[in-house]
Amino acid sequence: MPNTKTKATALDHMIVALAREVIPNEVTFNGVNSIIPMVAIEVARRTGRVPSTYINIAGGIDTTIREMPRSTSSSLLLEGSATIFPNEEFYDLCARGGVDLVFLGAAQVDSQGRTNVSAIGDYHNPKVRLPGGGGASVLMPTSKRVVVWRTEHSPRTLTEKLDFITSAGNVDSVVTPLCIFKRVNGRLQVKSVYSSTTLDEVVKQTGFEIDVTREIEILEPKKEELAAIEEVDPKGVRFLDWK
């Protein structure tokens, strides 16, 4: 598995961070419009961090991905699946405690790990009307562990107070282009900073207070993880999600 990269980018770090959240013998799911987590899950499968069951938003189960699609709802994500698993069945499975890990996106995330994908500004007269939570309001409180991801790390996206609370629940981690937050005692704290950034930059770009006295790890991608990213997505579909 050759790797021609000499330096990991912020996107590489983010994909590796998401891939490392995948734990063997768990049921894993990624939400709609989530190309980066979709790539990360496949990277995890290629590097030995294989979930026992991976259900995608298109309804495929443990499918054979020959080519990374440009949409998380593509029919390519059904190839090799033993059956088609409808979304309503997935929500039922999640409500019964049968889903271990869900990757979800958000427009805004607050210091408690709650998310906003509804509106920026006043809900009744917003600056921006967002697409809404879809199934996130069901998945976030019922899945065992939620990892939220966001490709912009700034005070407007990581804020002390949300303009609107769309979803809240079992958020374990938040992955951004700068770091990994872990929810500790109900509040997000920096767990890891990437080797491509610094803690000072994370503090400057975050809209809520960070405890800088905590022990913080440095995430450094391995060569085999970087190689797996290129092998999984040689056409660069992951950049469609990138900022």
Side-chain angles (χ1 to χ4, degrees):
M1 192 185 294
N3 176 34
T4 58
K5 287 189 177 180
T6 58
K7 187 176 180 180
T9 66
L11 178 55
D12 291 331
H13 279 84
M14 193 171 176
I15 291 173
V16 168
L18 291 169
R20 291 183 185 180
E21 294 286 347
V22 177
I23 298 174
N25 303 316
E26 287 193 343
V27 175
T28 301
F29 176 82
N30 67 270
V32 70
N33 297 326
S34 298
I35 293 174
I36 290 174
M38 181 174 66
V39 171
I41 292 169
E42 190 64 17
V43 167
R45 297 172 78 185
R46 301 287 179 95
T47 54
R49 303 180 64 83
V50 184
S52 57
T53 304
Y54 167 42
I55 304 174
N56 61 51
I57 191 70
I61 301 176
D62 289 335
T63 55
T64 302
I65 299 179
R66 293 184 298 168
E67 179 180 336
M68 194 59 60
R70 296 171 64 87
S71 168
T72 54
S73 300
S74 171
S75 60
L76 292 174
L77 294 171
L78 299 177
E79 292 188 17
S81 181
T83 184
I84 295 177
F85 202 73
N87 277 183
E88 57 269 25
E89 295 291 343
F90 177 78
Y91 295 140
D92 181 67
L93 176 66
C94 199
R96 290 186 283 112
V99 178
D100 298 290
L101 171 62
V102 171
F103 292 103
L104 294 174
Q108 288 182 320
V109 185
D110 72 5
S111 60
Q112 299 177 52
R114 299 177 297 187
T115 63
N116 172 24
V117 286
S118 298
I120 302 298
D122 180 74
Y123 181 80
H124 299 288
N125 186 28
K127 295 178 182 178
V128 180
R129 178 71 69 189
L130 298 169
S137 295
V138 174
L139 301 179
M140 198 171 277
T142 58
S143 59
K144 295 177 184 177
R145 185 162 55 99
V146 175
V147 175
V148 175
W149 64 283
R150 183 69 169 91
T151 58
E152 178 185 339
H153 188 137
S154 70
R156 71 173 186 170
T157 59
L158 291 152
T159 178
E160 182 64 43
K161 184 179 179 181
L162 297 178
D163 292 331
F164 186 89
I165 300 173
T166 306
S167 304
N170 297 324
V171 172
D172 179 77
S173 304
V174 175
V175 175
T176 80
L178 300 182
C179 71
I180 304 170
F181 290 99
K182 184 85 170 178
R183 196 165 69 140
V184 180
N185 297 324
R187 187 175 177 87
L188 296 182
Q189 301 289 351
V190 177
K191 174 188 176 184
S192 303
V193 170
Y194 303 153
S195 59
S196 58
T197 188
T198 65
L199 180 58
D200 286 344
E201 185 177 2
V202 172
V203 171
K204 182 179 179 180
Q205 294 298 323
T206 304
F208 53 81
E209 187 176 351
I210 292 173
D211 182 0
V212 296
T213 65
R214 294 174 57 85
E215 184 177 350
I216 296 172
E217 304 167 355
I218 303 297
L219 187 149
E220 182 70 65
K222 298 177 181 178
K223 290 182 179 180
E224 56 266 32
E225 291 171 318
L226 296 176
I229 293 173
E230 296 299 325
E231 181 184 85
V232 165
D233 185 28
K235 294 184 178 180
V237 173
R238 60 193 180 277
F239 292 105
L240 296 173
D241 261 350
W242 187 236
K243 300 181 180 182

